[in-house]
Short mmCIF file of all heavy atoms in Angstrom, two decimals:
data_model
loop_
_atom_site.label_atom_id
_atom_site.label_comp_id
_atom_site.label_asym_id
_atom_site.label_seq_id
_atom_site.Cartn_x
_atom_site.Cartn_y
_atom_site.Cartn_z
N GLY P 932 -4.57 -3.82 14.85
CA GLY P 932 -4.76 -4.60 16.07
C GLY P 932 -3.59 -5.38 16.53
O GLY P 932 -3.38 -5.63 17.70
N TYR P 933 -2.67 -5.63 15.52
CA TYR P 933 -1.51 -6.38 15.89
C TYR P 933 -0.29 -5.51 15.84
O TYR P 933 0.86 -5.92 15.70
CB TYR P 933 -1.26 -7.63 14.98
CG TYR P 933 -2.23 -8.73 15.32
CD1 TYR P 933 -3.50 -8.89 14.97
CD2 TYR P 933 -1.66 -9.70 16.27
CE1 TYR P 933 -4.32 -9.90 15.42
CE2 TYR P 933 -2.43 -10.68 16.74
CZ TYR P 933 -3.75 -10.82 16.32
OH TYR P 933 -4.61 -11.79 16.81
N GLY P 934 -0.53 -4.21 15.88
CA GLY P 934 0.67 -3.22 16.12
C GLY P 934 1.22 -2.66 14.83
O GLY P 934 2.29 -2.08 14.92
N TYR P 935 0.67 -2.87 13.69
CA TYR P 935 1.20 -2.37 12.53
C TYR P 935 0.58 -0.97 12.22
O TYR P 935 -0.55 -0.65 12.58
CB TYR P 935 0.88 -3.30 11.33
CG TYR P 935 1.63 -4.55 11.37
CD1 TYR P 935 0.93 -5.79 11.74
CD2 TYR P 935 2.96 -4.67 11.02
CE1 TYR P 935 1.54 -6.98 11.75
CE2 TYR P 935 3.56 -5.92 11.02
CZ TYR P 935 2.86 -7.05 11.47
OH TYR P 935 3.63 -8.24 11.58
N ASP P 936 1.40 -0.12 11.60
CA ASP P 936 1.02 1.18 11.18
C ASP P 936 0.57 0.97 9.67
O ASP P 936 1.41 0.64 8.85
CB ASP P 936 2.11 2.22 11.27
CG ASP P 936 1.80 3.61 10.78
OD1 ASP P 936 0.66 3.86 10.51
OD2 ASP P 936 2.74 4.40 10.76
N VAL P 937 -0.67 1.18 9.37
CA VAL P 937 -1.26 0.85 8.03
C VAL P 937 -1.62 2.07 7.27
O VAL P 937 -2.31 3.00 7.64
CB VAL P 937 -2.48 -0.07 8.18
CG1 VAL P 937 -3.00 -0.44 6.79
CG2 VAL P 937 -2.19 -1.38 8.98
N THR P 938 -1.12 2.12 5.95
CA THR P 938 -1.49 3.17 5.00
C THR P 938 -2.35 2.50 3.91
O THR P 938 -1.82 1.69 3.15
CB THR P 938 -0.23 3.80 4.41
OG1 THR P 938 0.56 4.47 5.48
CG2 THR P 938 -0.59 4.88 3.37
N PRO P 939 -3.60 2.88 3.86
CA PRO P 939 -4.43 2.28 2.85
C PRO P 939 -4.30 2.94 1.45
O PRO P 939 -3.98 4.15 1.39
CB PRO P 939 -5.85 2.50 3.32
CG PRO P 939 -5.73 3.70 4.27
CD PRO P 939 -4.32 3.72 4.75
N ALA P 940 -4.50 2.21 0.38
CA ALA P 940 -4.42 2.69 -0.94
C ALA P 940 -5.71 2.04 -1.66
O ALA P 940 -6.04 0.85 -1.49
CB ALA P 940 -3.20 2.29 -1.59
N VAL P 941 -6.29 2.80 -2.59
CA VAL P 941 -7.54 2.36 -3.22
C VAL P 941 -7.32 1.43 -4.42
O VAL P 941 -8.18 0.78 -4.90
CB VAL P 941 -8.46 3.54 -3.59
CG1 VAL P 941 -8.88 4.32 -2.41
CG2 VAL P 941 -7.78 4.43 -4.61
N ASP P 942 -6.03 1.42 -4.97
CA ASP P 942 -5.75 0.52 -6.04
C ASP P 942 -4.21 0.42 -6.18
O ASP P 942 -3.53 1.07 -5.36
CB ASP P 942 -6.40 0.96 -7.45
CG ASP P 942 -6.01 2.37 -7.84
OD1 ASP P 942 -4.85 2.74 -7.63
OD2 ASP P 942 -6.86 3.01 -8.43
N GLY P 943 -3.74 -0.21 -7.16
CA GLY P 943 -2.30 -0.40 -7.25
C GLY P 943 -1.57 0.88 -7.62
O GLY P 943 -0.42 1.08 -7.15
N GLN P 944 -2.19 1.71 -8.48
CA GLN P 944 -1.48 2.99 -8.83
C GLN P 944 -1.40 3.89 -7.67
O GLN P 944 -0.46 4.48 -7.36
CB GLN P 944 -2.34 3.62 -10.04
CG GLN P 944 -1.53 4.82 -10.58
CD GLN P 944 -0.23 4.38 -11.09
OE1 GLN P 944 0.00 3.58 -12.01
NE2 GLN P 944 0.81 4.97 -10.61
N ASP P 945 -2.48 4.03 -6.87
CA ASP P 945 -2.53 4.80 -5.63
C ASP P 945 -1.43 4.23 -4.68
O ASP P 945 -0.63 5.00 -4.04
CB ASP P 945 -3.91 4.79 -4.97
CG ASP P 945 -3.96 5.58 -3.79
OD1 ASP P 945 -3.40 6.71 -3.66
OD2 ASP P 945 -4.66 5.18 -2.79
N GLY P 946 -1.37 2.94 -4.54
CA GLY P 946 -0.39 2.28 -3.74
C GLY P 946 1.05 2.50 -4.21
O GLY P 946 1.91 2.89 -3.32
N PHE P 947 1.26 2.42 -5.47
CA PHE P 947 2.62 2.71 -5.94
C PHE P 947 3.05 4.16 -5.66
O PHE P 947 4.14 4.44 -5.30
CB PHE P 947 2.78 2.36 -7.46
CG PHE P 947 4.21 2.46 -7.87
CD1 PHE P 947 5.04 1.46 -7.53
CD2 PHE P 947 4.68 3.52 -8.73
CE1 PHE P 947 6.39 1.52 -7.97
CE2 PHE P 947 5.93 3.62 -9.08
CZ PHE P 947 6.82 2.57 -8.72
N ASN P 948 2.10 5.11 -5.90
CA ASN P 948 2.39 6.55 -5.65
C ASN P 948 2.72 6.72 -4.18
O ASN P 948 3.65 7.38 -3.88
CB ASN P 948 1.19 7.46 -5.99
CG ASN P 948 0.97 7.44 -7.61
OD1 ASN P 948 1.79 7.08 -8.32
ND2 ASN P 948 -0.23 7.87 -7.98
N LYS P 949 1.94 6.08 -3.28
CA LYS P 949 2.21 6.19 -1.79
C LYS P 949 3.58 5.54 -1.46
O LYS P 949 4.30 6.10 -0.62
CB LYS P 949 1.12 5.64 -1.03
CG LYS P 949 -0.13 6.53 -1.10
CD LYS P 949 -1.31 5.92 -0.34
CE LYS P 949 -2.45 6.98 -0.37
NZ LYS P 949 -3.64 6.51 0.12
N LEU P 950 3.89 4.46 -2.09
CA LEU P 950 5.09 3.77 -1.82
C LEU P 950 6.30 4.65 -2.19
O LEU P 950 7.31 4.81 -1.44
CB LEU P 950 5.26 2.48 -2.64
CG LEU P 950 6.54 1.64 -2.56
CD1 LEU P 950 6.73 1.18 -1.17
CD2 LEU P 950 6.52 0.50 -3.51
N ARG P 951 6.20 5.46 -3.32
CA ARG P 951 7.28 6.26 -3.73
C ARG P 951 7.53 7.48 -2.88
O ARG P 951 8.60 8.04 -2.78
CB ARG P 951 7.02 6.71 -5.21
CG ARG P 951 7.03 5.68 -6.27
CD ARG P 951 8.37 4.84 -6.38
NE ARG P 951 9.39 5.67 -6.96
CZ ARG P 951 10.64 5.33 -6.92
NH1 ARG P 951 11.04 4.36 -6.31
NH2 ARG P 951 11.60 6.08 -7.51
N MET P 952 6.39 7.83 -2.15
CA MET P 952 6.41 9.00 -1.23
C MET P 952 6.83 8.71 0.17
O MET P 952 7.11 9.56 0.92
CB MET P 952 5.04 9.71 -1.18
CG MET P 952 4.60 10.19 -2.59
SD MET P 952 5.72 11.30 -3.30
CE MET P 952 4.75 12.81 -3.12
N GLY P 953 6.75 7.41 0.57
CA GLY P 953 7.03 7.02 1.88
C GLY P 953 7.97 5.91 2.08
O GLY P 953 8.78 5.61 1.24
N SER P 954 7.98 5.33 3.25
CA SER P 954 8.82 4.20 3.57
C SER P 954 8.01 3.18 4.19
O SER P 954 7.29 3.43 5.23
CB SER P 954 9.92 4.74 4.58
OG SER P 954 10.72 3.65 5.04
N PHE P 955 8.08 1.91 3.67
CA PHE P 955 7.20 0.86 4.18
C PHE P 955 8.03 -0.43 4.43
O PHE P 955 9.08 -0.62 3.83
CB PHE P 955 6.06 0.59 3.20
CG PHE P 955 5.20 1.69 3.07
CD1 PHE P 955 5.30 2.67 2.07
CD2 PHE P 955 4.12 1.89 3.93
CE1 PHE P 955 4.43 3.72 1.94
CE2 PHE P 955 3.20 2.92 3.76
CZ PHE P 955 3.39 3.87 2.75
N ASP P 956 7.53 -1.17 5.37
CA ASP P 956 8.21 -2.50 5.75
C ASP P 956 7.61 -3.62 4.92
O ASP P 956 8.20 -4.73 4.80
CB ASP P 956 8.06 -2.77 7.17
CG ASP P 956 8.89 -1.68 8.04
OD1 ASP P 956 10.01 -1.68 7.88
OD2 ASP P 956 8.19 -0.92 8.77
N ALA P 957 6.41 -3.54 4.32
CA ALA P 957 5.84 -4.53 3.50
C ALA P 957 4.58 -3.92 2.78
O ALA P 957 3.99 -2.92 3.13
CB ALA P 957 5.30 -5.62 4.42
N VAL P 958 4.31 -4.61 1.68
CA VAL P 958 3.10 -4.27 0.85
C VAL P 958 2.18 -5.40 0.91
O VAL P 958 2.60 -6.50 0.64
CB VAL P 958 3.44 -3.93 -0.61
CG1 VAL P 958 2.19 -3.65 -1.42
CG2 VAL P 958 4.38 -2.73 -0.62
N VAL P 959 0.86 -5.21 1.29
CA VAL P 959 -0.21 -6.24 1.22
C VAL P 959 -1.09 -5.69 0.18
O VAL P 959 -1.67 -4.64 0.24
CB VAL P 959 -0.82 -6.44 2.59
CG1 VAL P 959 -2.00 -7.42 2.42
CG2 VAL P 959 0.19 -6.90 3.67
N SER P 960 -1.36 -6.58 -0.89
CA SER P 960 -2.23 -6.02 -2.01
C SER P 960 -3.21 -7.16 -2.49
O SER P 960 -2.87 -8.31 -2.57
CB SER P 960 -1.29 -5.68 -3.16
OG SER P 960 -2.12 -5.12 -4.21
N ASP P 961 -4.34 -6.56 -2.88
CA ASP P 961 -5.24 -7.46 -3.69
C ASP P 961 -4.64 -7.60 -5.04
O ASP P 961 -3.84 -6.99 -5.46
CB ASP P 961 -6.63 -6.71 -3.71
CG ASP P 961 -7.75 -7.55 -4.41
OD1 ASP P 961 -7.65 -8.72 -4.53
OD2 ASP P 961 -8.74 -6.94 -4.68
N VAL P 962 -5.22 -8.61 -5.88
CA VAL P 962 -4.79 -8.75 -7.23
C VAL P 962 -5.65 -8.00 -8.16
O VAL P 962 -5.25 -7.18 -8.98
CB VAL P 962 -4.67 -10.14 -7.65
CG1 VAL P 962 -4.39 -10.44 -9.08
CG2 VAL P 962 -3.48 -10.85 -6.84
N GLN P 963 -7.05 -8.26 -8.06
CA GLN P 963 -7.98 -7.69 -9.04
C GLN P 963 -8.36 -6.26 -8.63
O GLN P 963 -9.15 -6.11 -7.64
CB GLN P 963 -9.20 -8.60 -9.19
CG GLN P 963 -8.86 -9.90 -9.74
CD GLN P 963 -10.03 -10.86 -9.81
OE1 GLN P 963 -10.48 -11.19 -8.71
NE2 GLN P 963 -10.55 -11.24 -10.98
N MET P 964 -7.83 -5.25 -9.18
CA MET P 964 -8.14 -3.80 -8.96
C MET P 964 -8.01 -3.05 -10.22
O MET P 964 -7.32 -3.43 -11.15
CB MET P 964 -6.96 -3.28 -7.93
CG MET P 964 -6.90 -3.88 -6.58
SD MET P 964 -5.71 -3.13 -5.49
CE MET P 964 -4.19 -3.65 -6.21
N PRO P 965 -8.78 -1.89 -10.20
CA PRO P 965 -8.70 -1.04 -11.33
C PRO P 965 -7.33 -0.29 -11.44
O PRO P 965 -6.60 -0.25 -10.50
CB PRO P 965 -9.86 -0.08 -11.24
CG PRO P 965 -10.10 -0.04 -9.68
CD PRO P 965 -9.68 -1.43 -9.20
#
């Protein structure tokens, strides 16, 4: 809603895999995840 392009990830490992495959300006993450 504020103009960001968001790629969701289901946990930190999924997020790290997506980070390695793409290009991002920031990471927003929960702490407690499997």
